[in-house]
């Protein structure tokens, strides 16, 4: 069984319609559904064919013109209706009609359809200008050839070349635009191609090889060392390390044990794993990444909607101006030919193609650039808002910090060593599931300290634990525990208070009624937190910490990373209210968080930035998702947004200045239609080229998002990434 790629319906592969697209087999529920399947490769190939037809025809016309005048014609030089020597029934006009008609029908068809669709929606678009300009030249010339006496003028000149060359130039510009768009999203498509095609299903105790597309939620899959994981799932048996760098950007493999989640298309490095599929198809991590990027690249910003609005009003005004130009030339100056050429030139030179692609071109490159760096931007509006941010609010736990306690300080008294202190503490905490105990046990394991079995273990609620280790009475807990057993802590109070002022939890180790040492535990900062805050300050952005922790701990963490303002003791339900209060101060606020309790604040903020390793609801609420769990990506996202918006504004400026300056020149007859078409095409290409330079923007990424395992794929990906930079 397989899914229809258009409607998602489950279809039987044996009976369903199938098509091979891009080297892959797709199954459709009906012919109608198959027709709605839009294949970018096929669309680009179709545009390429139309461009070749138009360019080939234009080249033939140039060769004929050169042969006739012994030199390539420049501008809109006309050919008079005269018979060809020794060919009695064929004239130049008829020959040009035969050459240009396929260009007009095949090459120009896309503009006519676009113009018709715009008229149906009661809007005047860019295709309308091109259609009117080329059709006027073509129809007028056709009448000259076949019905010359029907015209109210004596001129017998034809302008087939004008129509053909305009179509050729515009199609060339469109083809280059689509080709660059294809390259802009190639990295994400290549990422999806890295998914394995086959999976090993465990069914009734037997291993069965099935296409990965057929895996269903709940299926148990076997992944051997060196194999890619077919889909997202949970480990139910075995231990291994998995290379997840294509998602996280981290070079070190991640250890996987029973209960741990795995991501489709990542590489199993060592042990045999059995996983239960939890997400398949469009719900997998990779598919969601591709979907987010695709949506963002095709979405619209306010500035894009402004450009569309300008175009909608601009096109009718241009048509009226072109008509007025013709009327003035014909009725006042008495020149039909000059008026006709000026009419066509005004239509073509004013065509706001560059205005229409100014925003999408830069947006596509910017979003693609972010995706390569592990920054997923869910839509164009978030990109636009990001460059206006004045204040960024950070959650503390799991965002600025690692979200799990670690041993930060070991203080020894008397003849004890640090290893002995950790040894006693870890021994009495053996088997405990408490996060603080886990931090102690993790420290002992890291230092290869032998953990011994305690005797006469006793847990004292709210205070700590007591047990015997190697015949010695060991106490491990807080001040109350030692007070219960009449052990004074006066001489260590200064040291304890110093550690606690830094936001650390301090536990006391006592051996045989004497204090042996202190162990301080804290939720440690992520390596990039301090540099991320410094980077944001360099961008003139205010930073705020919003946390449910006590004020003392929060201020200690804020001081350590350099955050400007601390708002502590905030309940999850109150976080959104804090964001509202900041917004009421006329601030553009971004919220960075990772947990379920951050979701309301992420939704309330002008832009929510969700940490990729966080909960699904946080990622669903965030407008920007940081895949790599690297806080430095917050600053990178802001810099990328600002760079992208600069490109958009540059594109709009040059497109509008170009049109405003060129229309009067065309109206007074100083710009031939062919030169106007070439200039218009060059304008569009220059906008695309300016946007493409965004690929060179230094986003300061650590590693590319997409990395492959085998040498062949690695080489292919390197080529793709180089092309899209």
């Amino acid at each position: 069984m397989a899914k229809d790629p258009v409607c998602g319906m489950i279809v039987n592969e044996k009976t369903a319609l199938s098509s091979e697209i891009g080297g892959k087999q797709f199954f459709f529920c009906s012919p109608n559904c198959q027709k709605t399947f839009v294949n970018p490769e096929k669309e680009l190939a179709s545009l390429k064919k139309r461009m070749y037809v138009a360019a080939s025809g234009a080249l033939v016309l140039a060769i004929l013109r050169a042969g006739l005048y012994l030199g390539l014609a420049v501008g809109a030089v006309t050919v008079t209706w005269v018979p060809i020597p020794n060919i009695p029934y064929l004239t130049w006009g008829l020959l040009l009609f035969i050459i240009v008609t396929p260009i007009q029908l095949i090459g120009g068809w896309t503009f006519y359809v676009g113009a018709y669709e715009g008229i149906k929606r009661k809007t005047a678009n860019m295709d309308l200008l091109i259609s009117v300009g080329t059709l006027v030249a073509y129809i007028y010339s056709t009448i000259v050839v076949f019905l010359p006496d029907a015209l109210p003028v004596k001129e017998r000149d034809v302008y087939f070349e004008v129509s053909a060359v305009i179509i050729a130039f515009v199609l060339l510009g469109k083809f280059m635009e689509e080709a660059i768009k294809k390259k802009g999203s190639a990295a994400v498509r290549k990422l999806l191609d890295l998914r394995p095609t086959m999976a090993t299903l465990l069914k009734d105790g037997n291993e069965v090889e099935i296409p990965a597309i057929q895996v269903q939620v709940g299926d148990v899959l076997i992944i051997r060392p060196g194999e890619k994981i077919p889909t997202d799932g949970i480990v139910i048996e075995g231990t291994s390390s998995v290379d997840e760098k294509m998602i996280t950007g981290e070079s070190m493999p991640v250890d996987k044990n029973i209960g741990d989640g795995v991501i489709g298309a990542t590489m199993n490095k060592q042990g045999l794993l059995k996983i239960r599929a939890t997400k398949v198809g469009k719900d997998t991590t990779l598919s969601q990444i591709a979907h987010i990027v695709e949506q963002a690249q095709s979405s619209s910003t306010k500035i894009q909607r402004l450009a569309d609005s300008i175009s909608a009003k601009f096109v009718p005004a241009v048509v009226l101006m072109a008509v007025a130009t013709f009327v003035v030339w014909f009725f006042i100056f008495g020149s039909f030919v000059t008026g006709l050429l000026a009419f066509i030139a005004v239509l073509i030179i004013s065509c706001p193609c560059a205005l229409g692609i100014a925003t999408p071109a830069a947006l596509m490159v910017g979003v693609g650039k972010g995706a390569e760096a592990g920054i997923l931007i869910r839509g164009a509006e978030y990109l636009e808002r990001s460059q206006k941010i004045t204040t960024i609010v950070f959650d503390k736990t799991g965002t600025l910090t690692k979200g799990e306690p670690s041993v930060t300080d070991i203080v020894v008294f008397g003849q004890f060593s640090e290893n002995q202190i950790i040894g006693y503490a870890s021994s009495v905490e053996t088997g405990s599931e408490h996060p603080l105990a886990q931090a102690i046990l993790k420290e002992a394991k890291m230092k290869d300290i032998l953990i011994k079995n305690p005797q006469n273990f006793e847990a004292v609620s709210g205070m700590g634990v007591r047990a015997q280790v190697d015949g010695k009475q060991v106490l491990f807990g807080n001040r109350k525990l030692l007070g219960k057993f009449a052990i004074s802590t006066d001489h260590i109070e200064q040291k304890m208070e110093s550690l606690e002022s830094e936001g650390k939890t301090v536990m006391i180790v006592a051996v045989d009624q004497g204090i042996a040492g202190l162990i301080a535990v804290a939720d440690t900062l992520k390596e990039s937190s301090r540099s991320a805050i410094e980077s944001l300050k360099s961008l003139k952005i205010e930073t705020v910490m919003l946390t449910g922790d006590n004020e003392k701990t929060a201020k200690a963490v804020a001081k350590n990373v350099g955050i400007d303002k601390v708002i502590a003791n905030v309940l999850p339900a109150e976080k959104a209210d804090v964001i509202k209060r900041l917004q009421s101060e006329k601030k553009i606020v971004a919220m960075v968080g990772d947990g379920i309790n951050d979701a309301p604040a992420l939704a309330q903020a002008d832009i929510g930035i969700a940490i990729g390793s966080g909960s699904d609801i946080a990622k669903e609420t965030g407008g920007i998702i940081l895949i790599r769990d690297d806080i430095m990506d917050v600053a990178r996202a802001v810099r990328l947004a600002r760079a992208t918006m600069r490109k958009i504004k540059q594109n709009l400026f040059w497109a509008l200045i170009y049109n405003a300056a060129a229309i009067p020149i065309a109206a007074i007859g100083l710009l031939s239609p062919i030169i106007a078409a070439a200039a218009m095409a060059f304008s569009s290409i220059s906008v695309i080229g300016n946007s493409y330079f965004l690929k060179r923007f230094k986003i300061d990424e650590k590693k590319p998002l997409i990395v492959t395992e085998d040498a062949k794929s690695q080489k292919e990906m390197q080529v793709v990434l180089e092309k899209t930079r």
Side-chain angles (χ1 to χ4, degrees), residues 324-366:
T325 298
F326 174 77
V327 169
V328 169
W329 276 107
F330 182 54
F331 290 101
I332 296 178
F333 295 103
S335 177
F336 177 84
V337 172
T338 303
L340 179 66
L341 293 178
F343 170 83
I344 296 171
V346 168
L347 288 176
I348 299 305
I349 198 66
S350 62
C351 178
C353 294
L355 181 65
I357 64 174
T359 298
L363 186 64
M364 178 159 291
V365 177

Side-chain angles (χ1 to χ4, degrees), residues 13-330:
E13 293 178 10
K14 294 182 180 179
T15 58
L17 294 164
S18 65
S19 293
E20 187 173 309
I21 301 171
K24 295 183 179 179
Q25 199 74 12
F26 291 90
F27 298 90
F28 300 87
C29 65
S30 69
N32 183 56
C33 201
Q34 184 174 354
K35 287 176 184 177
T36 63
F37 184 80
V38 178
N39 179 16
E41 302 280 347
K42 194 172 182 180
E43 287 290 306
L44 186 62
S46 175
L47 180 58
K48 188 176 181 180
K49 287 179 183 177
R50 294 196 297 273
M51 187 266 294
Y52 278 161
V53 168
S56 300
L59 181 61
V60 170
L61 292 174
I63 293 172
L64 288 174
R65 179 77 69 182
L68 181 64
Y69 294 106
L70 299 178
L72 186 64
V74 178
V77 179
T78 60
V79 176
T80 305
W81 174 272
V82 292
I84 299 177
N86 304 320
I87 307 179
Y89 300 104
L90 191 62
T91 66
W92 271 113
L94 184 58
L95 179 61
L96 295 179
F97 172 81
I98 293 170
I99 295 171
V100 171
T101 297
I103 301 174
Q104 195 75 34
L105 297 179
I106 299 173
W109 179 254
T110 182
F111 306 118
Y112 310 146
V113 171
Y116 173 70
E117 292 295 330
I119 292 170
K120 279 204 309 183
R121 294 193 300 270
K122 298 181 180 180
T123 61
N125 56 23
M126 295 169 283
D127 288 332
L128 180 64
L129 294 184
I130 298 170
S131 299
V132 172
T134 56
L135 282 173
V136 166
Y138 176 77
I139 293 171
Y140 171 78
S141 300
T142 302
I143 293 173
V144 168
V145 171
F146 295 102
L147 300 168
D149 296 330
L151 294 171
V153 292
K154 297 180 180 180
E155 287 91 343
R156 291 294 183 266
D157 300 323
V158 291
Y159 302 96
F160 287 117
E161 292 155 293
V162 170
S163 173
V165 175
I166 287 171
I167 290 173
F169 272 125
V170 176
L171 284 178
L172 175 62
K174 280 186 171 288
F175 174 74
M176 293 184 69
E177 176 188 344
E178 291 301 321
I180 289 174
K181 284 182 181 179
K182 180 174 177 289
K183 286 183 179 181
S185 56
V188 176
R189 291 199 305 272
K190 197 70 175 181
L191 173 61
L192 293 178
D193 289 341
L194 296 176
R195 294 175 296 187
T197 56
M198 303 298 292
T200 303
L201 175 69
L202 188 63
K203 188 175 183 180
D204 300 327
N206 298 317
E207 296 182 16
V208 182
E209 287 282 322
I210 63 170
I213 193 175
Q214 295 182 15
V215 174
Q216 301 293 319
V217 172
D219 284 350
V220 176
L221 307 173
I222 295 176
I223 299 95
R224 293 181 171 79
E227 291 182 347
K228 290 180 180 178
I229 298 171
T231 192
D232 293 4
I234 294 177
V235 177
I236 60 173
E237 186 178 318
T239 60
S240 183
S241 60
V242 175
D243 187 348
E244 296 182 342
K245 60 177 170 279
M246 70 167 62
I247 299 298
T248 64
E250 299 300 329
S251 58
M252 295 300 292
V254 180
D255 291 336
K256 298 293 180 181
N257 299 295
I258 294 174
D260 290 338
V262 292
I263 301 171
T266 55
M267 179 70 72
N268 182 24
K269 299 291 289 185
Q270 295 176 342
L272 180 73
L273 290 177
K274 285 185 183 178
I275 70 165
R276 178 173 284 109
T278 56
K279 294 179 181 178
V280 297
K282 64 181 181 180
D283 296 324
T284 62
T285 301
L286 289 184
S287 295
Q288 288 177 349
I289 290 173
H291 181 64
I292 287 171
V293 174
E294 184 182 32
Q295 278 190 323
Q297 288 181 332
S298 61
S299 59
S300 176
T301 67
K302 288 181 181 178
I303 199 165
Q304 170 63 33
R305 291 191 288 273
L306 175 62
D308 293 340
S309 176
I310 292 172
S311 295
K313 296 174 182 177
F314 184 71
V315 171
V318 166
V319 172
L320 290 175
M321 189 179 298
V323 172
T325 298
F326 174 77
V327 169
V328 169
W329 276 107
F330 182 54

Side-chain angles (χ1 to χ4, degrees), residues 378-416:
R378 295 177 69 92
E381 68 272 20
Y382 299 112
L383 189 72
E384 187 169 22
R385 290 181 207 165
S386 297
Q387 55 100 27
K388 299 177 182 177
I389 290 171
T390 61
T391 303
I392 295 185
V393 179
F394 289 90
D395 172 49
K396 180 179 75 69
T397 305
T399 301
L400 292 169
T401 67
K402 294 180 180 178
E404 57 182 33
S406 301
V407 174
T408 58
D409 301 88
I410 303 170
V411 181
V412 298
F413 300 107
Q415 301 301 313
F416 293 95

Side-chain angles (χ1 to χ4, degrees), residues 248 250 374 398-399 526 528 594 611-614 626-633:
T248 64
E250 299 300 329
T399 301
K526 292 178 179 177
S528 60
D594 75 316
I611 304 298
S613 62
L626 310 181
I627 298 178
R628 293 190 300 205
D629 199 9
D630 184 353
I631 297 300
M632 272 300 295
D633 282 344

